[in-house]
Amino acid sequence: EDDFNILELISKQIVLGMQLYKYNQAETKHKLIANELNILNKQQKLIMNESEMNLENNKDLYFYHRCATVIGGDFYHAQPIDENKVAYIIADVMGHGIVSNYIVIKGCFKTLCYNYQTAADIMNKLNQILYDEFDKMDVFTTCIVSIVDTQNNTLDISNAGHYCPIIIDDTGNISTENNLCKKNIPLGVLEDTKYEHSTISIKSSAMICMYTDGIIELKNQHKEEFGIERLEQFLLKNYKLKKDDFIAELKKELNEFAAKHNFDDDILVVCLSNK
């Protein structure tokens, strides 16, 4: 009986030791994952933060980005072409290997900006380049490519399954120019898709806002979505604010609406505004 009691005590110690060992293994693994995610988060911020720009003809290009988790699927990058033109891309990547896809998209986009003249040309070539890679990884992305020309006050847009921009004119009304934004299927779905483009005048535009679906689909405690109408009303109320004040008001608006710390989806809002 004493031997059985001793064996019982030893077996309990062994079980406890194994549980502690598994716990320590899991904790170490979680620390490694957290460290990797923090690195990816920094990479994502570095890729996007360089895309805030003061443009010619008193225009600002800036953005607000909030991840649902540590690393998200929304992407934005702006690339100067010459002293009067800047091309920028907004994408919502859906699938695996998000940051590696950011890097691939950024590299391709940067190169294509110097070789093609229109947003449609850039989008078509981008789809051809990314299709094989995306198809293998089961990835696709909605996307908008835009080229702003500050000398001629025009914006050239090509749309791959994304929301069209909201345009506020200088009289404080929603412009009908956004109806010219022709929508096609997302990148990476069909290899031979032919994307079109629209060129609109921004001479009388006070703000052009592009965004991903995270802000539209944000829900409050009553399961109501923030929606396009609320976003339009926010823009009409705040489009005259300077960049920092605009972003502060946007954060406040979303926090008051959602009333929670973690959002269910990434939020990305990109604004082209007159100073």
Side-chain angles (χ1 to χ4, degrees), residues 119 144-146 155-159 165 181 196-200 210:
I144 277 189
V145 170
S146 302
L155 187 70
D156 190 39
I157 303 176
S158 185
N159 188 335
C181 179
E196 299 179 1
H197 69 110
S198 304
T199 301
I200 62 176
M210 300 183 185

Side-chain angles (χ1 to χ4, degrees), residues 72-87:
D74 291 357
F75 171 73
Y76 160 66
H77 179 67
Q79 179 63 44
I81 299 174
D82 57 39
E83 61 181 10
N84 297 312
K85 290 183 180 180
V86 172

Side-chain angles (χ1 to χ4, degrees), residues 30-42:
H30 290 158
K31 285 181 179 179
L32 289 172
I33 292 172
N35 185 53
E36 289 177 359
L37 287 174
N38 284 328
I39 291 171
L40 294 178
N41 179 260
K42 289 178 181 178

Side-chain angles (χ1 to χ4, degrees), residues 89 108-109 112 122-130 187:
I89 183 171
C108 293
F109 179 73
L112 294 173
I122 294 173
M123 187 76 86
N124 282 314
K125 195 62 180 178
L126 193 61
N127 185 60
Q128 291 173 13
I129 294 170
L130 296 177
L187 292 181

Side-chain angles (χ1 to χ4, degrees), residues 24 122 128 159 180 237-238:
N24 288 332
I122 294 173
Q128 291 173 13
N159 188 335
L180 300 176
K237 182 180 178 182
N238 297 284

Side-chain angles (χ1 to χ4, degrees), residues 238-270:
N238 297 284
Y239 75 93
K240 291 183 179 180
L241 296 178
K242 298 298 183 183
K243 175 184 72 174
D244 292 341
D245 294 331
F246 179 89
I247 291 175
E249 285 299 316
L250 180 58
K251 289 179 181 178
K252 179 181 176 182
E253 181 86 6
L254 298 179
N255 287 332
E256 288 179 353
F257 177 80
K260 59 182 178 179
H261 179 68
N262 294 317
F263 290 4
D264 294 329
D265 195 4
D266 304 338
I267 290 174
L268 176 61
V269 176
V270 178

Side-chain angles (χ1 to χ4, degrees), residues 226-242:
F226 190 76
I228 293 178
E229 186 176 345
R230 279 192 179 90
L231 178 58
E232 288 178 342
Q233 292 304 312
F234 173 83
L235 295 174
L236 289 171
K237 182 180 178 182
N238 297 284
Y239 75 93
K240 291 183 179 180
L241 296 178
K242 298 298 183 183

